[in-house]
């Protein structure tokens, strides 16, 4: 079942694993050691076409199957995922680097979307208006789109695909998943479990690959819609290219999430929250807190006094070492990019309080480690403030007032998540109302909506109109049809040539 031990991860097309035939492969590395674990096939246009064709062939029967029967497969998939969660979490950690507990937590968040999707027949119910005119009824329904594609990032190789395919297939679509080429094994693992759960062949296909596979999906005439999660530069390209080819596209992208700390906040709670939200998963989360805005010098001083010793003693290491709180980042390139940002922060005059550049983990000297880092007195014009670093680097900005803090949140180009820590209900309410951000927390640092709500950002954190999963996910993966019907009733109106107001036909 698992790809553990496999030399090359191929594709999953038409209900079975198939080897790549493009002749191109990429390497999959253990970020803790930087050792090659296996290779991954990189699909060309012909292989993408094969996956899309399989999905297109499977669409009719799958869409015609009653939704209550479709979700039976997801109930069984859920059980299988629970039975196999330890193995999948270990596999995820070995290719991603995050701790096994963290990996398990992320799979559980994905499982919650599967559970939501099991109840989708409820959300596919249409609306009905009786007698919109004499003897005329009107009925709206939601129907699946056809073949839809998902393109996913490295940082959540199980959860992010599960934001997409359970909802898409429960709605009656068939799916082609293009996971990150950095850690392809979870997608293969999940595809196998779905087949074991009874999913008909071709309903979910996986093609591995890079830009070539993505471009082939974006231009393929049979792909009706594309869900993307990844960086802003690529997401904007995917959105524009997909739309130019007439597809419905949602692209969830990069972030720079601010946490505002008010003078009355519970500082113990603040410090715990910052540690988890800034350094969990080595900061490689789109909802990571990468900026803390402390309101007032005294607030900042009190916070730093408690925060700095915690950062200095954070336990960094490999995913399978006991007691490790933070793993490596994904690749040597990512490590070097993050260290370069730290160099820039120093050059630009920020106050480097804890420096993670020179960390070395005994036994893992070649690993992609960056230690937990914090800058104080960061200014909005600095690159470390403006850019998404996507690593364990926290910026602390000192704001003189609540209004100045809110302005920073709202002026930033990204709008994924934000949080305020306070005991003041007025400030919390005002913040929730005025923050120009898609997901807002009050004393909750990572306000990720549960599966039955929808996940998404504003501004340059999202291109397109729909958030993922929850009711927005159902809207994205279906289209509305409205049917107006009259049955012979003995009422004879004769031909009607003019358009009448008030529901008269
Ligand atoms: P990425 O943009 O490099 O890759 C995402 C996907 O796009 C991958 O499948 C990759 O193969 C493909 N891709 C990469 N370059 C491409 C190109 N030039 N043309 C076409 N396709 C290309 O992102 P990543 O590094 O894997 O993930 C990290 C990013 O994802 C961060 O910016 C993070 O904020 C973002 N992210 C956002 C959310 C969200 O919900 N907003 C969630 C998770 C991650």
């Amino acid at each position: 079942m698992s790809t553990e031990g496999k030399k090359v991860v191929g594709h999953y097309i038409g209900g079975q694993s198939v080897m790549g035939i493009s002749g191109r492969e990429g390497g999959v590395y253990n970020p803790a050691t930087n050792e090659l674990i296996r290779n991954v096939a990189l699909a060309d246009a012909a292989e993408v076409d094969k996956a899309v064709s399989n999905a297109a062939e499977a669409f009719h029967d799958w869409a015609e199957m009653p939704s209550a029967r479709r979700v039976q497969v997801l109930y069984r998939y859920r059980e299988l995922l629970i039975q196999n969660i330890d193995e999948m979490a270990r596999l995820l950690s070995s290719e991603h680097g995050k701790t096994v507990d963290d990996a398990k937590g992320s799979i559980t968040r994905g499982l919650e979307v599967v559970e939501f999707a099991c109840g989708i027949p409820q959300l596919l119910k249409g609306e009905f208006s009786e007698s919109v005119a004499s003897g005329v009824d009107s009925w709206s329904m939601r129907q699946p789109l056809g073949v839809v594609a998902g393109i996913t990032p490295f940082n959540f190789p199980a959860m992010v695909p599960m934001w997409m395919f359970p909802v898409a297939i429960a709605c009656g679509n068939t799916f082609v998943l293009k996971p990150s080429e950095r850690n392809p094994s979870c997608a293969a693992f999940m595809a196998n479990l779905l087949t074991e759960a009874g999913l008909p062949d071709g309903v979910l296909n996986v093609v591995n690959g890079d830009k070539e596979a993505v471009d082939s999906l974006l231009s393929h005439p049979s792909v009706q819609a594309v869900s993307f999660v990844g960086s802003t530069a690529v997401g904007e390209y995917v959105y524009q290219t997909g739309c130019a080819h007439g597809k419905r596209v949602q692209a969830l992208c990069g972030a720079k999430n601010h946490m505002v700390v008010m003078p009355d906040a519970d500082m113990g709670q603040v410090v715990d929250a910052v540690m988890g939200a800034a350094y969990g998963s080595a900061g490689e989360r789109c909802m990571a807190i990468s900026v803390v805005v402390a309101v007032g010098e005294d607030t900042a001083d009190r916070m730093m006094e408690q925060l700095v010793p915690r950062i200095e003693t954070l336990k960094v290491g490999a995913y399978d070492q006991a007691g490790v709180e933070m793993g490596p980042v994904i690749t040597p390139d990512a490590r070097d990019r993050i260290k370069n940002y730290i160099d820039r922060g120093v050059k630009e005059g920020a106050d480097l309080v804890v420096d993670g550049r020179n960390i070395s983990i005994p036994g893992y000297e070649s690993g992609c480690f960056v230690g937990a880092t914090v800058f104080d007195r960061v200014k909005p014009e600095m690159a470390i403030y403006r850019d998404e670093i996507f690593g364990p680097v926290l910026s602390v900005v000192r704001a003189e007032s609540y209004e100045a803090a809110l302005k920073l949140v709202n002026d930033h180009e990204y709008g994924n998540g934000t949080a305020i820590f306070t005991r003041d209900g007025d400030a919390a309410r005002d913040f929730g109302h005025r923050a120009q951000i898609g997901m807002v927390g009050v004393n909750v640092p990572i306000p990720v909506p549960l599966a039955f709500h929808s996940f998404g950002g504003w501004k340059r954190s999202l291109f397109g109109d729909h958030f993922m999963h929850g009711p927005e996910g159902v809207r994205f993966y279906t289209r509305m049809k409205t049917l107006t019907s009259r049955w012979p009733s003995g009422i004879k109106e004769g031909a009607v040539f003019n358009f009448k107001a008030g529901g008269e036909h």
Side-chain angles (χ1 to χ4, degrees), residues 105-382:
S106 71
I107 297 170
T108 304
R109 296 312 296 260
L111 257 170
E112 290 166 6
V113 182
V114 176
E115 287 161 2
F116 163 75
C118 287
I120 263 177
Q122 162 72 10
L123 289 171
L124 291 177
K125 283 193 306 193
E127 292 176 330
F128 185 80
S129 297
E130 191 184 20
S131 299
V132 291
S134 308
V136 177
D137 303 321
S138 196
W139 170 36
S140 64
M141 64 188 106
R142 301 208 72 96
Q143 294 191 329
L145 306 175
V147 179
V148 298
I151 301 160
T152 55
F154 80 82
N155 66 328
F156 285 107
M159 182 185 80
V160 169
M162 283 196 278
W163 283 356
M164 301 174 181
F165 73 73
V167 180
I169 64 177
C171 289
N173 301 282
T174 55
F175 202 88
V176 179
L177 172 64
K178 206 302 284 170
S180 170
E181 63 276 39
R182 309 255 169 267
N183 37 29
S185 293
C186 283
F189 195 95
M190 292 188 287
N192 274 293
L193 288 186
L194 280 162
T195 298
E196 198 182 333
L199 190 73
D201 295 349
V203 174
L204 180 116
N205 306 274
V206 180
V207 281
N208 283 302
D210 51 13
K211 181 171 168 51
E212 189 174 342
V214 171
D215 286 344
S216 306
L217 284 168
L218 294 176
S219 60
H220 199 294
S222 299
V223 173
Q224 303 298 323
V226 177
S227 297
F228 170 90
V229 175
S231 62
T232 292
V234 178
E236 190 167 25
Y237 165 79
V238 164
Y239 180 74
Q240 289 172 352
T241 312
C243 290
H245 284 91
K247 303 183 193 322
R248 185 181 285 195
V249 185
Q250 55 178 180
L252 277 66
C253 297
K256 194 80 180 176
N257 306 310
H258 293 47
M259 173 169 150
V260 174
V261 179
M262 297 293 285
D264 65 351
D266 176 327
M267 212 41 93
Q269 191 188 22
V270 165
V271 170
D272 283 342
V274 173
M275 290 305 297
Y279 303 113
S281 213
E284 290 175 324
R285 289 180 180 146
C286 69
M287 289 293 277
I289 291 293
S290 47
V291 177
V292 170
V293 186
V295 175
E297 289 289 331
D298 174 62
T299 310
D301 291 342
R302 284 186 290 120
M303 181 185 76
M304 292 303 277
E305 196 181 308
Q306 290 190 38
L307 187 60
V308 171
R310 293 278 296 274
I311 298 172
E312 284 170 337
T313 53
L314 187 78
K315 187 140 184 351
V316 183
Y319 73 92
D320 50 1
Q321 284 182 300
V324 162
E325 294 167 308
M326 187 175 93
V329 297
I330 187 73
T331 55
D333 279 357
R335 177 193 59 205
D336 296 346
R337 180 178 47 77
I338 295 163
K339 286 187 181 180
N340 281 339
Y341 268 111
I342 304 176
D343 294 345
R344 271 180 87 174
V346 173
K347 268 192 211 131
E348 288 178 333
D351 191 354
L352 181 58
V353 182
V354 183
D355 181 358
R357 284 176 293 188
N358 299 317
I359 192 165
S360 177
I361 309 295
Y364 295 88
E365 287 79 5
S366 304
C368 309
F369 292 98
V370 182
T373 297
V374 63
F375 281 103
D376 197 359
R377 300 178 196 282
V378 173
K379 304 284 180 223
E381 59 278 8
M382 295 177 180

